[in-house]
Amino acid sequence: MDKMKVTYEAMLALTAEMVLDEAVLKFQTKQLHHAIDKALADGDEDTFYRLVKQLNELKQ
């Protein structure tokens, strides 16, 4: 019984970590999209390319 409880708790912790990681990824992606849009609107080419690079690295 104790081994099952430990396994269950480990799986629960892993699931929680995966959900948190996905939420952080979505948040960071959304923030980068907004910043890219602003850089485009401002005509800031250097910032645009830097942010696009960050977004591509995040997606890998």
Side-chain angles (χ1 to χ4, degrees):
M1 253 335 186
D2 288 332
K3 186 174 182 179
M4 281 182 49
K5 183 178 179 183
V6 169
T7 302
Y8 174 75
E9 288 174 355
M11 293 299 291
L12 192 59
L14 181 59
T15 302
E17 184 177 347
M18 290 170 62
V19 169
L20 182 59
D21 287 346
E22 182 67 24
V24 168
L25 178 62
K26 284 182 181 181
F27 175 78
Q28 290 175 332
T29 301
K30 185 176 179 180
Q31 293 296 103
L32 280 171
H33 279 285
H34 286 294
I36 288 169
D37 289 344
K38 183 177 181 332
L40 278 173
D42 294 345
D44 187 348
E45 191 175 330
D46 291 334
T47 301
F48 170 79
Y49 283 116
R50 181 179 52 81
L51 293 171
V52 168
K53 183 179 176 186
Q54 286 180 10
L55 181 60
N56 288 333
E57 289 173 356
L58 191 62
K59 289 182 177 181
Q60 292 180 356

